[in-house]
Amino acid sequence: LGISPNSTPYDDIEKKQLVGKITYNKDKNFSAVEEAYCTKPTYLLKEVYDNFKKMHEAAKKEGVKLVIVSGTRNFEEQKSIWNRKFQANIKTLDTISCIKKILLFSSMPSTSRHHWGTDIDLINLNNSYFEKGQGLKEYTWLKNNASKFGFCQVYDDKKQTNRTGYELEKWHWSYLPTAKLFLKQYKEKITYKDINNFIGSSYASNKKIDMINNFVEGISKDCQNLFETLLDI
C-alpha cells in the first residue's frame, strides 16, 4: 500500500480545527497543492497530499487523470456557500425545506469534512459525468484502487445502502487514516452549541435535521470499515 503514516499527532484535536475555524494557508500541518494537481488554489493536510500524489501517479500510468477541484474549506468559506444558498432558496421554501434542499449536497458550516483537510472533490461535481466515457473510466479506477492509498468515497448511494445524510457524491473522497481520527474526536467534543454563527444554525439540532447524527456520521459502511482493514494488511 502507498499509505504513509500520519506525520502529525491527532490524539487531541482542538475544537476549532474540528469545526473549521482555522487559517490553513498559515498552518504548518497543511501543504499548498501544486497547480498540476488542482484546478484552483488548494490546501490539504500534508499526509493527505502525499498520498494523493501517489494515487495520482498510479492512475496516470493507466490513463486516468485525477485532478482536485476542491480541498480544504474553512468555516468562513463554508459559511459563504451556505448563506448564499440559504438566501436563494428561502425565497420559495419554508426554513426546514430550505435547509433540507441545501443539505442534499452542501454542509452546514462547522460540520463539513472539508474543514479537516482530509477530503477532496475530484474531477467533476456532477454524478452524471461519471456514468459513461472517460468519467466512468475514472470512477471505476477510483472504486478499484483508491482504497490502496487510504481514500474512500464517503457518500455512496443511500437509496441502496440506507445511509443517512447527503446524496450520492461520486466525486468526494476522504483520506480515512486521518479523517477517522477527526470524526472520532468530533463526536466526542462537538455539540450543537458549537454549531452557530450562520443563517439557520439554530436548526442544526432540529429532529428533522439532526446534523451530527444524520450528516456528520452519515458515511458509507465501507468507509467506516476501511481504516481497520488497512491496518490489518
Side-chain angles (χ1 to χ4, degrees):
L1 293 179
I3 301 171
S4 60
N6 293 335
S7 58
T8 312
Y10 295 110
D11 55 349
D12 188 17
I13 304 169
E14 293 184 51
K15 287 176 71 172
K16 66 180 182 180
Q17 292 177 274
L18 296 169
V19 298
K21 293 181 178 177
I22 56 172
T23 308
Y24 52 77
N25 59 353
K26 296 182 180 178
D27 189 320
K28 61 181 176 59
N29 295 319
F30 284 79
S31 289
V33 176
E34 298 165 70
E35 289 184 8
Y37 300 111
C38 57
T39 60
K40 62 183 180 182
T42 301
Y43 282 78
L44 295 172
L45 284 175
K46 289 180 178 178
E47 68 269 22
V48 179
Y49 184 31
D50 288 343
N51 286 287
F52 170 76
K53 286 190 287 187
K54 293 174 184 176
M55 183 168 70
H56 179 279
E57 293 308 308
K60 185 178 179 181
K61 292 176 182 177
E62 297 185 43
V64 171
K65 184 179 180 181
L66 303 179
V67 60
I68 299 170
V69 297
S70 189
T72 308
R73 293 195 295 270
N74 64 22
F75 175 87
E76 292 300 327
E77 290 166 321
Q78 195 69 28
K79 178 179 177 178
S80 177
I81 294 169
W82 178 270
N83 285 355
R84 172 174 51 81
K85 291 188 175 184
F86 191 99
Q87 290 165 341
N89 286 293
I90 199 63
K91 295 174 183 177
T92 57
L93 298 170
D94 63 79
T95 302
I96 290 290
S97 298
C98 174
I99 289 172
K100 284 185 173 182
K101 183 175 181 180
I102 302 170
L103 288 173
L104 293 174
F105 296 104
S106 294
S107 302
M108 279 188 175
S110 301
T111 70
S112 175
R113 297 176 68 91
H114 282 283
H115 290 334
W116 304 341
T118 59
D119 285 46
I120 51 179
D121 293 337
L122 291 175
I123 307 169
N124 193 294
L125 299 178
N126 291 286
N127 288 313
S128 59
Y129 168 81
F130 297 101
E131 293 174 0
K132 59 184 178 181
Q134 184 65 19
L136 178 58
K137 179 179 179 180
E138 292 158 351
Y139 182 64
T140 301
W141 190 93
L142 284 163
K143 291 290 286 183
N144 291 335
N145 296 282
S147 62
K148 301 172 186 175
F149 302 91
F151 289 90
C152 186
Q153 180 192 337
V154 282
Y155 304 132
D156 58 8
D157 188 346
K158 66 182 186 179
K159 296 181 182 67
Q160 296 181 7
T161 63
N162 294 318
R163 176 181 57 80
T164 62
Y166 306 102
E167 295 299 304
L168 170 68
E169 292 188 357
K170 293 183 176 182
W171 58 84
H172 188 138
W173 296 79
S174 182
Y175 182 67
L176 265 279
T178 303
K180 181 179 176 66
L181 306 179
F182 273 79
L183 179 58
K184 179 177 183 293
Q185 294 194 44
Y186 192 102
K187 292 189 288 185
E188 293 171 352
K189 297 178 180 181
I190 304 302
T191 70
Y192 283 111
K193 292 181 181 178
D194 301 303
I195 301 174
N196 54 48
N197 194 30
F198 59 90
I199 303 173
S201 59
S202 62
Y203 286 82
S205 61
N206 185 287
K207 63 182 180 180
K208 295 181 179 180
I209 306 296
D210 197 359
M211 280 302 302
I212 295 176
N213 291 319
N214 286 336
F215 290 85
V216 177
E217 296 190 40
I219 65 172
S220 78
K221 287 184 171 60
D222 286 346
C223 293
Q224 293 175 29
N225 297 331
L226 175 60
F227 187 69
E228 286 83 359
T229 301
L230 291 173
L231 289 180
D232 291 339
I233 292 176

